[in-house]
């Protein structure tokens, strides 16, 4: 897709305006209701759909398909990332009315980091086609790792601060309580961090790790920097509202890791096949419509099986609790009679 600098500029201005609107909405710390989160989640997804349809109307059907495939993949990875956000919020006991501010800044950091990674990735791909082998191998490894962790039941129950974050805390010091939306305060003549600043740093550092998975994944679906950037931008916008909307649902998506592993593994294989094709080896090319159907199909199946498994688990826990209560009552009655 041949995109002029004018279109790039207009797109960035448009996205910046949307970000400004999002910032205006969340400028005052407040508890986000389910209704508010639901309305704005629908708005952001609708805007992404309109953008994709706009590409199709403009005669860029290939770019439109690539955008939707990339958007859905990036959105799915973003939902998985929300698990980590939940752990970070719990680790630092972020007050509910400040969580939306943390997420807003986190999304801004993610957008900047993605733009840098996308520019670097596009430059590398343009000059070294063999990098597709590395991207493909990395995604296949990530898929295998996700499956291994899911089968072993290795889920983090608490966020662990990395060494860099700990060194920053030791260097500057951290206040013992939150001070509204302030990031720094003066204490004994020294400027120290507030817990809110530490949380934002933690979110920003995890955003770097998230980009390592998402950028190779979307480059496996399209090598067009414009589509890669816009798909990432639309996937990240609205993530703040999505956090509050499906916060309780996240725990029910027990098979999400399996679904993402299949998607990442599929894209990894697609990248390797593309790399072989670029090297002159006759290999089949996986089309965007087929990729889109695989991604959507895997996500639908994963969601359905997750909800069924969660329902069965909840029923089993309820039955176990009722059994324990009955047993306890019987023991108490026996002791009373004796």
């Amino acid at each position: 897709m041949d995109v002029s600098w004018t279109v790039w500029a207009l797109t960035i201005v448009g996205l910046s305006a949307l970000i400004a609107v999002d910032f205006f909405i969340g400028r005052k710390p407040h508890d986000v209701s389910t209704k508010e989160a639901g309305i704005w989640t629908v708005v952001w997804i609708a805007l992404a759909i309109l953008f994709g349809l706009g590409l199709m109307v403009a005669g860029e059907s290939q770019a439109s398909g690539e955008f939707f495939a990339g958007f859905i993949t990036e959105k799915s990875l973003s939902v998985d990332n929300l698990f980590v956000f939940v752990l970070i919020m719990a680790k630092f006991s972020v007050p509910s009315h400040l969580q939306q501010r943390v997420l807003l800044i986190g999304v801004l950091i993610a957008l900047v980091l993605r733009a840098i990674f996308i520019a670097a990735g596009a430059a590398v791909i343009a000059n070294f086609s063999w990098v597709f082998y590395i991207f493909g191998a990395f995604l296949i490894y990530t898929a295998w790792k996700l499956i291994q962790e899911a089968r072993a039941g290795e889920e983090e129950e608490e966020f662990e601060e990395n060494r860099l974050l700990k060194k920053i805390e030791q260097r500057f010091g951290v206040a013992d309580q939150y001070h509204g939306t302030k990031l720094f305060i003066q204490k004994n003549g020294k400027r120290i961090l507030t817990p809110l600043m530490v949380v934002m740093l933690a979110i920003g550092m995890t955003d770097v790790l998230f980009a390592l998975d998402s950028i190779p994944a979307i480059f496996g679906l399209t090598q067009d920097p414009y589509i890669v950037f816009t798909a990432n931008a639309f996937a990240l916008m609205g993530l703040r509202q999505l956090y509050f909307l499906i916060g309780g649902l996240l725990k029910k998506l027990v098979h999400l890791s399996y679904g993402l592993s299949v998607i990442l593994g599929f894209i990894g294989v697609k990248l390797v096949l593309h790399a072989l094709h670029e090297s002159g080896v006759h290999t089949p090319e996986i089309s965007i419509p087929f990729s889109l159907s695989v991604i959507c199909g895997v996500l639908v199946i994963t969601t359905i099986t997750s909800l069924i498994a969660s329902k069965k688990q909840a029923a089993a826990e309820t039955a176990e609790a009722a059994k324990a209560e009955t047993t306890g009552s019987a023991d108490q009655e026996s002791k009373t009679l004796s």
Side-chain angles (χ1 to χ4, degrees):
M1 181 178 175
D2 187 18
V3 181
S4 66
W5 286 108
T6 301
V7 174
W8 266 106
L10 291 174
T11 302
I12 292 174
V13 169
L15 291 174
S16 298
L18 292 175
I19 294 171
V21 169
D22 196 22
F23 185 83
F24 179 79
I25 295 169
R27 71 190 187 284
K28 292 183 179 181
H30 66 282
D31 291 326
V32 179
S33 66
T34 302
K35 181 180 178 181
E36 177 186 343
I39 291 174
W40 284 105
T41 296
V42 172
V43 168
W44 294 123
I45 293 177
L47 288 173
I49 293 173
L50 288 174
F51 181 83
L53 292 177
L55 291 174
M56 186 179 296
V57 171
E60 299 288 348
S61 57
Q62 173 75 10
S64 177
E66 292 176 352
F67 171 79
F68 281 120
F71 171 74
I72 294 172
T73 300
E74 294 300 311
K75 200 70 173 179
S76 302
L77 290 170
S78 296
V79 170
D80 189 46
N81 297 342
L82 289 180
F83 282 106
V84 181
F85 288 168
V86 169
L87 295 175
I88 292 175
M89 297 292 189
K91 169 70 175 182
F92 295 100
S93 302
V94 181
S96 58
H97 67 282
L98 291 178
Q99 290 183 8
Q100 52 86 24
R101 176 61 62 87
V102 172
L103 292 168
L104 178 60
I105 300 301
V107 168
L108 290 176
I109 294 173
L111 281 170
V112 173
L113 290 173
R114 299 295 173 88
I116 295 172
F117 275 60
I118 289 167
V124 171
I125 289 172
N127 293 281
F128 308 101
S129 60
W130 50 262
V131 77
F132 285 116
Y133 288 110
I134 297 176
F135 281 1
F138 177 74
L139 290 179
I140 293 172
Y141 168 75
T142 303
W144 175 81
K145 187 178 178 182
L146 279 174
I147 290 178
Q148 292 297 107
E149 291 177 353
R151 291 182 63 184
E154 296 177 1
E155 297 183 359
E156 285 188 286
E157 296 182 356
E158 185 177 347
F159 173 77
E160 294 293 335
E161 300 174 51
N162 57 43
R163 293 182 180 180
L164 178 58
L165 186 58
K166 289 180 179 179
K167 286 184 178 179
I168 292 175
E169 292 180 64
Q170 293 172 357
R171 170 67 178 79
F172 294 96
V174 183
D176 55 1
Q177 62 181 6
Y178 286 86
H179 293 265
T181 57
K182 291 182 178 179
L183 303 180
F184 299 92
I185 63 168
Q186 291 287 337
K187 185 176 182 181
N188 298 326
K190 180 183 178 182
R191 197 183 190 199
I192 63 173
L193 307 174
T194 65
L196 185 63
M197 183 62 180
V198 176
V199 174
M200 289 182 177
L201 288 173
I203 292 287
M205 291 176 183
T206 55
D207 280 336
V208 176
L209 298 177
F210 295 159
L212 293 177
D213 290 339
S214 63
I215 298 304
I218 195 168
F219 269 117
L221 296 169
T222 176
Q223 286 80 58
D224 189 328
Y226 183 76
I227 300 301
V228 172
F229 176 72
T230 52
N232 266 276
F234 278 105
L236 288 172
M237 287 192 299
L239 187 61
R240 176 172 64 90
Q241 290 86 354
L242 193 62
Y243 171 88
F244 296 103
L245 182 64
I246 67 173
L249 182 62
L250 286 175
K251 294 180 180 179
K252 296 182 179 180
L253 299 177
V254 294
H255 295 160
L256 181 60
S257 292
Y258 290 105
L260 291 177
S261 67
V262 172
I263 292 173
L264 292 178
F266 169 77
I267 297 175
V269 172
K270 185 177 184 295
L271 273 171
V272 172
L273 291 175
H274 179 75
L276 290 171
H277 182 78
E278 291 291 313
S279 300
V281 180
H282 181 69
T283 55
E285 287 282 344
I286 300 176
S287 67
I288 286 299
F290 181 74
S291 298
L292 187 57
S293 63
V294 169
I295 293 168
C296 292
V298 169
L299 290 176
V300 169
I301 293 172
T302 299
T303 301
I304 293 174
T305 58
S306 292
L307 295 178
I308 292 174
S310 296
K311 187 176 181 180
K312 289 182 178 180
Q313 183 178 357
E317 290 176 354
T318 301
E320 187 68 26
K323 181 179 179 181
E325 184 177 351
T326 302
T327 303
S329 300
D331 292 341
Q332 183 65 32
E333 184 178 352
S334 177
K335 290 180 181 179
T336 301
L337 293 174
S338 60

